[in-house]
Amino acid sequence: QGVRDHNLKAIDVEFPLHHLVRGTAVSGSGKSTLMQDVLYPALARHFGKATESPGAFDALLGADLLSDAVFVDQSPIGKTARSNPASYVGAFDEIRKLFAQSPLALQRGYGPGMFSFNAGDGRCATCGGSGFEHVEMQFLSDVYLRCPDCDGRRFRSEILDVKIDRRMGGRADDDQFRDLSVADVLELTVSEAVQLFRDDREVQRVLQPIVDVGLEYVKLGQPVPTLSGGEAQRLKLAGFLAEAAQDRSASRQSVARRGRLFMFDEPTTGLHF
């Protein structure tokens, strides 16, 4: 109530919950001011988050009906090439568990940590699991060269010996199988992974939100800094959807819970229908 900032002159706005609400107006009328400069900082302050001071307003009513507020924009998810869509939504954790359960991994005593390229003894010692070597140039842009030891596959050769079998076709009588190493899995697109891991419920649960936001064409191991602004926006949303699916799976209760409010500024730029 009483929002007074930039072009907003003491306006009152009411947003119904549990709906998809669209706010439209001509350019420069104050849409971004309302969402980004007033409403989100006010809610963030209500939930005890670090935030800039919101623009002037008289009252914020109904925030107690929410559990959190999220502003989804096109800012980069991260600057490290180690982060990828599979790890962002938690799918890689489930996939590493599957590799640790394979016969060869059990025989050799490999746990899920051995199939991580971020830490542990399973990653390539030369590139540290990044798949490339970073060469700093004094006057030119830095150069990234494919690792000569692992050939960009990130893992030691003995880790790549561990493989899992997954059926390629969609029919139960289809006997075409693929032997996949952990490096092979990271080269799969999301749509290919959904097909190959269709019998693995936990993997499906965390991959499906990526499909739902229209990112089924990206590779599981694609570095997130290479995603466009709209793709980064969609992956953020997929991460929250995967988290919500996990919460529902864990609780299995019909108790009404407070919801999370998502806010988008310029959502039509880069978002999938």
Side-chain angles (χ1 to χ4, degrees), residues 160-172:
L160 299 179
D161 290 340
V162 179
K163 297 186 178 182
I164 56 177
D165 294 334
R166 288 299 180 271
R167 186 182 294 113
M168 293 177 61
R171 305 188 310 273

Side-chain angles (χ1 to χ4, degrees), residues 17-32:
L17 299 180
H18 307 292
H19 288 74
L20 178 63
V21 182
R22 178 181 63 186
T24 61
V26 297
S27 178
S29 59
K31 302 184 297 296
S32 296

Side-chain angles (χ1 to χ4, degrees), residues 149-268:
D149 287 348
C150 68
D151 195 29
R153 293 173 69 80
R154 301 186 176 195
F155 297 91
R156 289 163 35 199
S157 58
E158 53 266 37
I159 300 299
L160 299 179
D161 290 340
V162 179
K163 297 186 178 182
I164 56 177
D165 294 334
R166 288 299 180 271
R167 186 182 294 113
M168 293 177 61
R171 305 188 310 273
D173 59 347
D174 196 332
D175 58 357
Q176 290 184 317
F177 285 83
R178 286 185 62 178
D179 288 332
L180 299 168
S181 69
V182 63
D184 294 331
V185 170
L186 290 173
E187 286 297 312
L188 296 174
T189 65
V190 173
S191 60
E192 290 173 335
V194 168
Q195 177 68 18
L196 288 168
F197 290 97
R198 61 186 177 276
D199 295 328
D200 302 293
R201 187 182 63 169
E202 289 303 308
V203 178
Q204 284 280 6
R205 176 182 60 80
V206 285
L207 285 182
Q208 188 59 44
I210 305 182
V211 178
D212 293 340
V213 299
L215 286 179
E216 68 280 351
Y217 56 87
V218 301
K219 290 185 177 181
L220 294 184
Q222 181 173 341
V224 294
T226 65
L227 299 175
S228 69
E231 289 171 335
Q233 194 176 23
R234 281 183 266 168
L235 187 58
K236 291 177 188 178
L237 187 56
F240 286 111
L241 293 174
E243 179 185 335
Q246 184 177 13
D247 291 342
R248 287 195 300 269
S249 177
S251 63
R252 298 293 184 187
Q253 295 177 356
S254 59
V255 179
R257 294 181 298 164
R258 292 180 298 170
R260 176 186 279 131
L261 178 67
F262 290 94
M263 284 170 275
F264 301 86
D265 189 33
E266 300 283 1
T268 53

Side-chain angles (χ1 to χ4, degrees), residues 29-209:
S29 59
K31 302 184 297 296
S32 296
T33 297
L34 173 65
M35 304 300 294
Q36 191 167 351
D37 298 339
V38 180
L39 179 57
Y40 176 69
L43 286 170
R45 187 171 63 178
H46 173 82
F47 293 120
K49 297 181 178 180
T51 182
E52 297 179 358
S53 297
F57 65 96
D58 292 335
L60 175 66
L61 307 177
D64 293 335
L65 301 174
L66 301 169
S67 63
D68 193 13
V70 179
F71 192 84
V72 184
D73 58 13
Q74 296 193 17
S75 61
I77 294 175
K79 296 181 179 180
T80 173
R82 293 180 180 274
S83 180
N84 55 54
S87 62
Y88 190 82
V89 299
F92 198 45
D93 293 337
E94 301 300 332
I95 291 171
R96 289 191 293 113
K97 293 177 185 177
L98 294 178
F99 276 97
Q101 295 167 3
S102 64
L104 184 57
L106 293 173
Q107 178 184 336
R108 295 182 177 180
Y110 293 166
M114 290 293 287
F115 299 94
S116 170
F117 54 79
N118 285 323
D121 298 328
R123 58 182 178 170
C124 172
T126 302
C127 63
S130 64
F132 55 82
E133 291 184 311
H134 178 200
V135 181
E136 295 186 4
M137 307 294 287
Q138 188 169 2
F139 300 109
L140 302 172
S141 298
D142 292 353
V143 175
Y144 296 91
L145 303 176
R146 185 184 297 270
C147 176
D149 287 348
C150 68
D151 195 29
R153 293 173 69 80
R154 301 186 176 195
F155 297 91
R156 289 163 35 199
S157 58
E158 53 266 37
I159 300 299
L160 299 179
D161 290 340
V162 179
K163 297 186 178 182
I164 56 177
D165 294 334
R166 288 299 180 271
R167 186 182 294 113
M168 293 177 61
R171 305 188 310 273
D173 59 347
D174 196 332
D175 58 357
Q176 290 184 317
F177 285 83
R178 286 185 62 178
D179 288 332
L180 299 168
S181 69
V182 63
D184 294 331
V185 170
L186 290 173
E187 286 297 312
L188 296 174
T189 65
V190 173
S191 60
E192 290 173 335
V194 168
Q195 177 68 18
L196 288 168
F197 290 97
R198 61 186 177 276
D199 295 328
D200 302 293
R201 187 182 63 169
E202 289 303 308
V203 178
Q204 284 280 6
R205 176 182 60 80
V206 285
L207 285 182
Q208 188 59 44

